[in-house]
Amino acid sequence: MNERGATRVGSARGAMHTGYGDLYNWNVTIGPQEATGRSPRRIADDQLRRLRQRFVDPAGMGEARRLLAEHSTVILSGGPGSGRHAAARVLLYELPRETGIFRELLPGDEGEATLTDATLVGAGDRLLLDLADAGGTRWAKDCRDLSSLRKVVHEQQAHLVVVMPYGDDLEADLQFLRADIARPPAEEVLLRHLRLHGVPHEAFLQPAPAMVEFLGEQRPLAEVAGFADRVRRARAAEPGAGFARWCEQARDARKTRRKEVARLVAERCEASQRALLFTTAMLHGAHSDVIHRATDVLLHLPGGPREEGPSLACKDLAERLEEIHASTGVYGHVQFKELDYDDAVRVHFWDHMPHLRPLFSSWTARSSKLDDPHLTPSLREELVSRLADQYLRTRQWQGLAALADEWTAGAGSRALVPAAVHALSRGLEHQEFGSAFRQLVRVWCRDKQLTRELADVLRYVCTNVIAPTHPDQAMIRLLHLARREHGTTPALDALCALVATSSRLRRRALDRVTRQSSAPAADARLFLRICDPGPLTEPGGAPHALVDERYVQECVSLGWHVVLTHLPQPDWQPYAKRWLHLASDSDDRRDLLLDLLVHGAGGNGTHFAALYAAARAAEPTTSGGPARGAKTTDRLLHKISATQGLRPRDASPRSASPGGTTP
């Protein structure tokens, strides 16, 4: 390298570092809801709300709304680029959301129930079944299963939107549910996006030949949205240029940039020039101080290009930026002069210098940890996302996953936890590789040797990335993580927060830790948290409470049996205390709750004695007073005696069995 950075300190606030090497000061808390303040349900609703703001009703949308309202199901048909996927999500977003959750059904995927499974649908759920890419055989099978699914949807007062494959046939008995979606006017879609981007209405009235040319090409609606975004960025770069010029920039950005970049790279052969070019593309829009330091990092990495020379004899940053067609704005932020030039530079370096890809990945990690007030969290996230996009664009999703793994292992990995989160999130959100990343996360949560950092990353992406659209898969992955926790329980906390959003999820979680358990002692601890008697006894908008279901009663009894068998009394007594308090406060469910405990004891005298002791200990803190608690203890003792074949003289009437009938 031919120039080195100089240190100049005007004032210092907090940590300061004046030499080479790293100072890690990236204070990012990675957790589940406590980090975001939002539940997976809220995240999903926010995503759908943003989609609705940009959505223009296609032809046929009114009919789709009518069918969904009348039949709780609608099957959308439309060609690629018609907006059918967005229409499906908007239809579900517009529904009332007092109960249930939004989720995408993935029949056949690990952790997902089949379409004929009666437990697939929760009360008030809003379900999306996207079969647009289903093959002929799968589509035929799913069509046959739709009748069973629709029946459960109706019973649960839920709603279902199906996107069918383009050009495939629909069975005659389902034709009445079909709504044909036609592409909305592209100009209206473009104007909606521009208005949301803050482009004033009067700008649309100006002649814009480039916009007319673009709209005449009948591009997919996703590309129309991309054109609007490029107009937004062109306006931000040249506010006074006018609407026609912004549209020209948006049109040309996709046509000529890569050839221009190839010529520029060929002309700029010096290591410092190419390092600055790559850094500016990866940190486009960053402050010049960040660009300078990150370029210096690239030139000093092992295996990276090097040039040495007296620093005062070198060109200053402004001159060097001019050589690569970039400049600094009023506030010192660096940008290329042409729109989307940064994207073309990233593509060129990645495609034409594949031997440097490991170096680019190492540089991204080092640069994301730089301690600089101008390097904001959003810029760090964007840096990692730009690198991840190159991996995904070239179908190297395994390389991106390996990078996230690398960033959470070894010394200093704590500083790279946010970078690993962003890398995995990018993969999970990818349309083509999202499923592969979800499966990888499952394997890691279950089998991989976990560092604390990787466990934090996995918990975060399960809760904030997977759960909003695939809550069943998130629940299973969090279960795997929670089984492996010792001491602290952040994954279990996240799991409990997730199942609290849906009675159906709580039922599935109970099934997993009781009937499908492979680690009884570990699952016994999970059971105590998941089997909260409050949510079990509250319908929450559903036709009945979970505890009224025979299947759930069997799970609960089995769970308590495992708890009493595998855990010491001090571990389970606080949970039994809550259970007994609720039994004391609930006259209509007291007998059922006590029966579940008694059946959980499995006729074991030691278990009965432990339950009785727990009930006596809970009496003083019963909300209705110790006397009410004592009545509950007496009732429990009566049930224990009856189970043992004893009949005390003050025997109370027989109670309901877990099946809901009188013995």
Side-chain angles (χ1 to χ4, degrees):
M1 181 181 177
N2 56 7
E3 89 180 296
R4 289 185 177 271
T7 301
R8 180 179 61 189
V9 180
S11 63
R13 297 182 177 89
M16 182 173 66
H17 185 39
T18 62
Y20 286 98
D22 298 316
L23 173 64
Y24 304 141
N25 195 28
W26 190 352
N27 296 320
V28 179
T29 300
I30 298 297
Q33 288 79 250
E34 71 269 18
T36 63
R38 301 186 299 165
S39 70
R41 175 176 175 175
R42 175 67 181 276
I43 294 171
D45 286 344
D46 285 351
Q47 292 170 349
L48 294 172
R49 175 180 53 80
R50 289 191 292 270
L51 173 62
R52 183 66 185 90
Q53 290 174 341
R54 289 160 173 77
F55 184 74
V56 175
D57 280 7
M61 191 67 173
E63 176 67 3
R65 289 191 177 100
R66 183 188 69 80
L67 291 172
L68 188 60
E70 292 182 6
H71 303 289
S72 301
T73 301
V74 63
I75 301 174
L76 298 184
S77 174
S82 62
R84 55 193 169 152
H85 299 89
R89 288 166 171 78
V90 168
L91 285 168
L92 293 170
Y93 172 74
E94 293 174 340
L95 295 169
R97 296 184 291 280
E98 288 81 8
T99 60
I101 57 177
F102 166 80
R103 65 189 232 271
E104 297 182 33
L105 301 180
L106 297 171
D109 274 26
E110 185 278 334
E112 293 283 338
T114 63
L115 296 183
T116 56
D117 189 333
T119 66
L120 179 65
V121 184
D125 280 356
R126 295 165 287 143
L127 308 174
L128 171 60
L129 179 58
D130 190 349
L131 299 174
D133 298 323
T137 303
R138 180 187 168 191
W139 169 240
K141 179 185 182 303
D142 289 340
C143 274
R144 291 193 298 270
D145 294 342
L146 274 179
S147 295
S148 299
L149 177 59
R150 287 185 53 237
K151 180 177 183 295
V152 180
V153 166
H154 180 74
E155 291 172 349
Q156 294 290 343
Q157 300 180 349
H159 291 84
L160 169 68
V161 177
V162 182
V163 180
M164 65 175 289
Y166 178 64
D168 274 317
D169 295 327
L170 187 62
E171 294 184 2
D173 61 341
L174 295 173
Q175 284 288 348
F176 75 101
L177 296 171
R178 177 171 177 165
D180 292 315
I181 296 295
R183 171 190 172 97
E187 182 176 2
E188 188 174 345
V189 174
L190 177 62
L191 296 184
R192 169 67 64 86
H193 280 269
L194 290 175
R195 282 196 294 270
L196 289 171
H197 288 323
V199 178
H201 177 72
E202 54 270 18
F204 308 153
L205 305 178
Q206 303 174 22
M211 182 184 74
V212 175
E213 177 187 337
F214 173 81
L215 293 175
E217 296 173 354
Q218 293 296 306
R219 301 292 186 93
L221 296 182
E223 292 192 28
V224 175
F227 184 88
D229 185 66
R230 293 195 296 276
V231 170
R232 173 190 65 81
R233 289 184 282 119
R235 175 174 176 252
E238 299 182 79
F243 186 65
R245 172 59 180 163
W246 302 333
C247 290
E248 288 175 6
Q249 287 266 40
R251 177 198 61 192
D252 296 341
R254 293 297 190 210
K255 291 185 176 181
T256 61
R257 295 292 181 257
R258 295 190 182 182
K259 291 183 179 179
E260 294 173 1
V261 167
R263 287 195 298 269
L264 180 65
V265 173
E267 294 168 358
R268 304 293 185 261
C269 298
E270 295 180 12
S272 60
Q273 293 174 321
R274 291 186 174 183
L276 181 61
L277 182 61
F278 176 78
T279 300
T280 302
M282 291 294 289
L283 288 163
H284 197 242
H287 193 273
S288 57
D289 288 356
V290 175
I291 298 293
H292 176 78
R293 291 187 62 189
T295 303
D296 192 47
V297 168
L298 181 57
L299 289 169
H300 283 84
L301 276 176
R306 292 177 179 271
E307 283 190 357
E308 298 292 342
S311 58
L312 291 178
C314 295
K315 301 172 184 176
D316 63 21
L317 184 59
E319 187 176 358
R320 293 166 59 207
L321 288 172
E322 186 66 31
E323 291 177 346
I324 62 169
H325 300 173
S327 62
T328 56
V330 176
Y331 299 103
H333 295 276
V334 177
Q335 290 184 323
F336 289 110
K337 296 178 181 179
E338 299 295 332
L339 189 64
D340 277 1
Y341 207 85
D342 58 313
D343 181 63
V345 170
R346 292 192 293 270
V347 168
H348 181 89
F349 274 88
W350 193 262
D351 288 354
H352 299 287
M353 301 180 186
H355 59 291
L356 293 180
R357 290 173 185 173
L359 179 71
F360 296 153
S361 300
S362 298
W363 170 85
T364 299
R366 292 287 297 274
S367 297
S368 70
K369 297 186 294 184
L370 286 174
D371 180 58
D372 191 297
H374 298 297
L375 193 56
T376 62
S378 61
L379 187 56
R380 299 177 201 266
E381 177 180 354
E382 197 164 17
L383 170 61
V384 175
S385 297
R386 286 165 175 167
L387 177 71
D389 288 347
Q390 299 309 311
Y391 275 100
L392 296 170
R393 182 183 61 82
T394 51
R395 307 184 61 81
Q396 297 180 329
W397 72 269
Q398 295 98 332
L400 179 60
L403 194 62
D405 184 18
E406 177 187 331
W407 286 350
T408 54
S413 60
R414 195 69 198 169
L416 284 172
V417 163
V421 164
H422 301 323
L424 274 186
S425 298
R426 205 67 169 182
L428 287 164
E429 293 165 350
H430 194 270
Q431 183 174 356
E432 181 178 358
F433 300 116
S435 176
F437 271 91
R438 288 195 301 274
Q439 296 307 314
L440 179 69
V441 168
R442 176 182 63 85
V443 172
W444 283 3
C445 288
R446 185 190 63 194
D447 301 324
K448 186 175 177 60
Q449 184 174 353
L450 300 177
T451 63
R452 181 169 68 97
E453 289 75 17
L454 182 56
D456 287 345
V457 169
L458 293 174
R459 187 181 71 250
Y460 184 90
V461 298
C462 285
T463 305
N464 294 275
V465 184
I466 300 177
T469 51
H470 305 93
D472 292 61
Q473 294 197 2
M475 182 266 291
I476 291 170
R477 285 148 181 77
L478 288 171
L479 267 174
H480 288 315
L481 279 180
R483 284 188 179 113
R484 306 173 68 184
E485 288 183 322
H486 301 284
T488 59
T489 60
L492 180 54
D493 295 340
L495 173 64
C496 292
L498 177 59
V499 300
T501 65
S502 167
S503 294
R504 186 190 60 82
L505 283 177
R506 192 179 297 276
R507 183 192 300 110
R508 291 206 70 196
L510 285 171
D511 174 79
R512 282 271 171 169
V513 299
T514 57
R515 295 179 175 274
Q516 301 184 45
S517 175
S518 58
D523 282 346
R525 300 181 186 278
L526 306 189
F527 167 82
L528 290 172
R529 289 284 303 276
I530 297 169
C531 192
D532 188 329
L536 284 178
T537 55
E538 297 169 0
H544 58 264
L546 278 177
V547 77
D548 294 327
E549 300 177 12
R550 179 183 293 274
Y551 186 83
V552 172
Q553 293 170 9
E554 293 172 351
C555 288
V556 171
S557 292
L558 180 57
W560 273 111
H561 180 72
V562 176
V563 165
L564 295 170
T565 302
H566 291 278
L567 298 184
Q569 184 166 343
D571 287 1
W572 58 258
Q573 182 158 320
Y575 299 93
K577 180 179 178 181
R578 172 165 167 73
W579 194 274
L580 292 161
H581 282 170
L582 188 61
S584 297
D585 294 339
S586 178
D587 293 333
D588 58 335
R589 297 198 186 277
R590 181 187 61 178
D591 282 335
L592 175 58
L593 293 176
L594 295 179
D595 280 338
L596 294 175
L597 289 178
V598 172
H599 279 77
N604 184 297
T606 302
H607 295 343
F608 284 147
L611 285 176
Y612 180 74
R616 291 294 302 271
E619 289 177 6
T621 53
T622 302
S623 62
R628 190 174 183 87
K631 289 182 179 180
T632 299
T633 302
D634 291 343
R635 188 66 174 162
L636 176 66
L637 179 60
H638 164 73
K639 292 177 179 295
I640 291 173
S641 299
T643 300
Q644 293 177 318
L646 305 175
R647 290 292 185 273
R649 285 178 298 175
D650 60 342
S652 302
R654 293 172 182 260
S655 63
S657 70
T661 59
T662 302

